[in-house]
Amino acid sequence: MAFPAEAKKPKDPDELFNPLLGPDYSHWLVGPLVEMATEGEVEDFLLLASDEDAEAFVDRFWEARNAGTKVFTKTPQQIFEARAEDADKRFSEGTYPGSRTDRGTILVLFGEPDTIEFESPRKVDDPPLEVWRYKTREKGLHGKKPKKQYRFVDLGRQVVRYTGQTLPPDFRQRLKRRRF
């Protein structure tokens, strides 16, 4: 499965699911790991046919990122695991682990934001936006600098990253039902 030059890595959990793998590995790339993976690694992961191959893939993935870590400093894998554990405690939604949610992904990649605020809604029936601001411009676990702010909106069943697009057409109806 080759990605065309202009195409981006898949981000949708359904596109990152490998049905040939068991539950420990089938969704392994969902969330911040797909941001950390190269296009080639994503392609290789989706072609894995056994859990043994997946285990070896995961070991190689972390070896490549941990290489060159200075003595007495945490490896990228250790930082990832600590942040993912924190995100799982704070942002889990139903049976979905918090580290794989939009807020969890940002937390794992960049760490705790400098500030978290709430913006007033633009329309009466809209929910407030949760705004995370990063003053630091240090690169995240995937090698990119954070944006100055990330905005999230609660859609009822889940909190998603708000990109400025209009809310789903049925959102206001779902919100009204939820209030009772």
Side-chain angles (χ1 to χ4, degrees):
M1 167 188 311
F3 298 111
E6 66 278 355
K8 294 184 177 182
K9 295 183 280 189
K11 304 270 171 99
D12 186 297
D14 292 336
E15 294 175 12
L16 296 169
F17 173 71
N18 183 334
L20 300 176
L21 303 178
D24 291 339
Y25 294 106
S26 59
H27 285 92
W28 187 78
L29 270 181
V30 175
L33 288 167
V34 73
E35 300 292 337
M36 296 173 67
T38 65
E39 288 182 14
E41 287 171 328
V42 172
E43 186 175 325
D44 290 347
F45 175 80
L46 294 173
L47 294 173
L48 296 174
S50 72
D51 283 1
E52 293 77 23
D53 293 342
E55 183 177 4
F57 174 88
V58 170
D59 289 342
R60 285 191 309 275
F61 178 90
W62 285 118
E63 284 172 12
R65 280 145 188 87
N66 293 337
T69 302
K70 295 177 184 175
V71 178
F72 303 116
T73 60
K74 290 185 178 181
T75 65
Q77 182 178 4
Q78 290 169 325
I79 295 168
F80 175 90
E81 290 170 353
R83 289 178 181 173
E85 184 179 336
D86 184 32
D88 287 344
K89 289 177 185 174
R90 294 169 56 186
F91 303 124
S92 292
E93 297 172 350
T95 60
Y96 209 66
S99 57
R100 294 182 179 176
T101 64
D102 288 355
R103 289 185 294 178
T105 294
I106 299 301
L107 180 71
V108 169
L109 292 174
F110 300 114
E112 194 68 36
D114 293 303
T115 62
I116 298 176
E117 302 169 353
F118 290 88
E119 280 183 10
S120 298
R122 294 188 177 146
K123 294 184 179 178
V124 175
D125 289 338
D126 286 351
L129 295 175
E130 184 176 338
V131 182
W132 291 16
R133 289 192 169 79
Y134 287 89
K135 294 176 187 169
T136 180
R137 300 300 283 161
E138 291 180 26
K139 292 181 179 179
L141 289 176
H142 61 332
K144 298 177 184 173
K145 294 180 179 181
K147 294 181 179 181
K148 290 182 180 180
Q149 72 177 14
Y150 294 90
R151 298 162 64 190
F152 304 94
V153 63
D154 185 347
L155 296 180
R157 293 183 300 252
Q158 68 185 121
V159 177
V160 298
R161 191 160 162 212
Y162 181 72
T163 60
Q165 302 296 320
T166 57
L167 296 171
D170 69 334
F171 174 74
R172 286 182 182 77
Q173 291 299 323
R174 285 189 279 141
L175 187 62
K176 286 178 183 175
R177 285 193 300 263
R178 193 173 131 205
R179 289 183 179 158
F180 296 106

